[in-house]
Amino acid sequence: MQTLTFDSDDLDLTEDFLSRAYARMRIGGSPVGSRARVRRSATPSLSVDELALDFDMSYAVTPLGRICLCVVHDGTIEDHVYPGVQDSFGPGDVVSFVPPDQAYAGVVRAARYNITMLDPALLDQVATAAPTAHPGPVRLTGHRPHSPAAADRLRGAIAYLRDHVLADPDLADQPLVASTAAQHLAATVLATFPNSALTDPTGSDRADAHPAALRRALTYIDDHADEPVTVAEIAAAAHITVRALQYAFRRHLDTTPLAHLRRVRLAHAHHELLAADPRDGTTVTQVAVRWGFAHPGRFAALYRAAYGRSPHRTLVEP
């Protein structure tokens, strides 16, 4: 994982830093206050930046090749344009800033905001494009959320990623934690914005979602629970589409592939806690992180619901 911070009142240094971090940008006007503060946390597949600019800045950015999300905390971002879109954003807005293959431009006006970027391939790990409408990889087809509730969920997912995963480099470097967090963010993005994914199963998907395919999926999950498994990989192992896989889990088990994967990993954590000796220095947090659970409180709640007692009690009183 990579982390970096920038804090300067030198406009030339700020221009250079922002241009290197994103693409060419130009600070316009005659700023009275000129301080810029940026903090970036990044893994190979995603990054979360918090920016606070005390001045107006125009930007003209070449395609980033990433899905770029923006959450505005204070101030405004105005005249944001790319082909087919012209919009402005203010406090509370959550938007998809630009498609990965598009250049864009606009003006930041003394704003504090979040930029989250993710690899577009993450969308393909949790969904499949509708072949008749938009062949190829899954892509976002609108830049505004479906609803305020959807915007709130995405805002929460970004905050969780920033505050509970990327805030701790050792935690973010855990493969299962990083994979789970990335897939959760990708799924939340798809649930927030219009997109080309086909979520309802086709007739072929329904036919493919038979018990034999489900058994193949369950076997793959059991054999690979200690690896950063994706929904797409589970579907491939079962020889069905992602839609058929999701339908099979919903139809036969009343759950989702990722929820079942989480349940299997929780069982592994349970067995590890039963076998562990706290005198050797083993902690609940270590075990939870090893099995992909980044938030101790959430892990404890899931564990208590499944096993009727706290994970700490299991560790000290097996």
Side-chain angles (χ1 to χ4, degrees):
M1 179 183 145
Q2 174 194 34
T3 60
L4 63 86
T5 58
F6 177 83
D7 188 339
S8 177
D9 58 5
D10 185 308
L11 294 181
D12 291 333
L13 287 177
T14 299
E15 266 193 1
D16 179 67
F17 172 83
L18 294 175
S19 296
R20 285 186 289 106
Y22 300 96
R24 181 59 186 167
M25 299 189 185
R26 179 177 58 82
I27 298 174
S30 301
V32 176
S34 62
R35 184 163 295 277
R37 303 172 186 84
V38 183
R39 176 174 175 80
R40 165 171 287 187
S41 302
T43 69
S45 61
L46 53 86
S47 62
V48 177
D49 296 355
E50 289 291 342
L51 301 96
L53 308 182
D54 296 339
F55 49 86
D56 293 353
M57 179 189 73
S58 61
Y59 54 86
V61 183
T62 54
L64 297 171
R66 314 278 276 184
I67 293 169
C68 186
L69 311 173
C70 180
V71 180
V72 182
H73 306 310
D74 296 300
T76 58
I77 298 176
E78 300 177 1
D79 301 322
H80 180 77
V81 295
Y82 60 88
V85 169
Q86 180 171 356
D87 206 347
S88 295
F89 318 122
D93 279 339
V94 182
V95 298
S96 171
F97 223 38
V98 66
D101 59 349
Q102 297 285 347
Y104 63 102
V107 180
V108 177
R109 297 202 181 278
R112 186 171 61 85
Y113 57 105
N114 169 286
I115 292 291
T116 298
M117 294 189 289
L118 58 151
D119 187 340
L122 289 173
L123 301 187
D124 298 310
Q125 293 181 3
V126 296
T128 304
T132 55
H134 299 285
V138 175
R139 63 186 183 87
L140 304 184
T141 56
H143 73 288
R144 288 279 188 172
H146 288 297
S147 66
D152 286 343
R153 286 191 291 271
L154 180 57
R155 191 183 296 107
I158 291 171
Y160 174 80
L161 179 68
R162 179 193 64 207
D163 298 339
H164 297 290
V165 178
L166 298 181
D168 184 343
D170 291 335
L171 184 62
D173 285 338
Q174 293 290 327
L176 299 193
V177 169
S179 173
T180 300
Q183 289 189 82
H184 175 66
L185 179 63
T188 306
V189 167
L190 288 178
T192 301
F193 299 104
N195 60 79
S196 66
L198 179 62
T199 55
D200 292 332
T202 64
S204 178
D205 292 329
R206 293 176 187 274
D208 289 342
H210 46 70
L214 179 64
R215 286 194 294 272
R216 289 194 293 269
L218 293 174
T219 298
Y220 186 84
I221 288 173
D222 287 340
D223 291 344
H224 298 271
D226 61 340
E227 302 172 15
V229 175
T230 70
V231 174
E233 290 169 344
I234 299 170
H239 311 305
I240 56 178
T241 67
V242 170
R243 293 186 305 273
L245 178 76
Q246 293 167 336
Y247 179 69
F249 271 83
R250 186 167 68 248
R251 176 184 178 186
H252 298 293
L253 298 178
D254 193 27
T255 188
T256 67
L258 284 181
H260 180 77
L261 176 60
R262 183 179 65 185
R263 190 177 301 121
V264 170
R265 287 174 173 166
L266 185 66
H268 280 287
H270 171 64
H271 292 307
E272 188 169 329
L273 288 170
L274 284 172
D277 187 342
R279 292 173 297 183
D280 294 336
T282 300
T283 68
V284 169
T285 298
Q286 289 172 344
V287 173
V289 168
R290 189 153 44 243
W291 289 103
F293 298 93
H295 193 288
R298 292 187 181 185
F299 173 72
L302 289 169
Y303 189 94
R304 194 174 290 109
Y307 299 105
R309 60 176 179 171
S310 72
H312 178 73
R313 183 178 173 189
T314 299
L315 178 62
V316 300
E317 302 174 13

